[in-house]
Amino acid sequence: KQWYQRRVRALDRLSVLRSIYNAGVRFNKRSEDYKNMVTGEISSKLPLRANLLEDSESSIKLMEEERRKDHISHYLLRMAFCRTEEARRWFCDTEKELLRLRLEDRPDE
């Protein structure tokens, strides 16, 4: 069961990465159309909502769980995409774009 959950999470991340890539092909990466297409996919499949919650015990546990799932899915795909230089490059470029989008989406602190 645990392996199945990890696999599903990795497939969700792959879906997000593909959406980022496809949106980049269709739109300028700085356009609102691009951002709108991608942010919905990120928030539904790779949420890090707990970062925005208050510092209660339940939100801290939720944040830790979301981050753990995020890290595991990243490393599973990292292993899967290390076989060829082209796949490795695509994965790294798309992950960098995911990070950029997440950082831009953070509220000012």
Side-chain angles (χ1 to χ4, degrees):
K1 180 174 170 131
Q2 203 173 36
W3 174 248
Y4 176 77
Q5 290 172 341
R6 288 178 180 159
R7 183 173 178 247
V8 167
R9 198 63 161 163
L11 291 174
D12 283 346
R13 185 179 206 92
L14 181 58
S15 174
V16 168
L17 294 179
R18 284 183 177 156
S19 293
I20 290 170
Y21 175 78
N22 290 334
V25 169
R26 290 182 63 191
F27 304 110
N28 180 329
K29 289 186 178 183
R30 303 293 186 223
S31 72
E32 283 300 312
D33 291 330
Y34 173 81
K35 190 171 182 179
N36 291 338
M37 183 175 177
V38 173
T39 53
E41 187 82 6
I42 293 171
S43 63
S44 69
K45 295 193 176 177
L46 290 177
L48 290 176
R49 295 179 298 261
N51 291 341
L52 306 176
L53 302 175
E54 70 283 344
D55 288 338
S56 68
E57 187 175 328
S58 62
S59 67
I60 290 171
K61 286 184 182 207
L62 178 60
M63 180 177 61
E64 288 172 353
E65 181 64 20
E66 286 179 344
R67 286 181 179 176
R68 187 179 71 76
K69 289 178 180 179
D70 189 61
H71 295 163
I72 290 170
S73 66
H74 169 80
Y75 284 105
L76 286 173
L77 288 183
R78 187 173 168 180
M79 287 187 297
F81 279 88
C82 72
R83 295 185 180 170
T84 68
E85 182 62 32
E86 182 180 349
R88 189 171 30 253
R89 190 175 306 118
W90 179 88
F91 177 73
C92 288
D93 290 346
T94 314
E95 279 285 335
K96 283 190 281 188
E97 183 63 14
L98 172 60
L99 177 62
R100 185 188 70 78
L101 289 164
R102 282 181 166 173
L103 291 174
E104 281 183 357
D105 202 34
R106 290 180 62 185
D108 294 331
E109 295 177 13

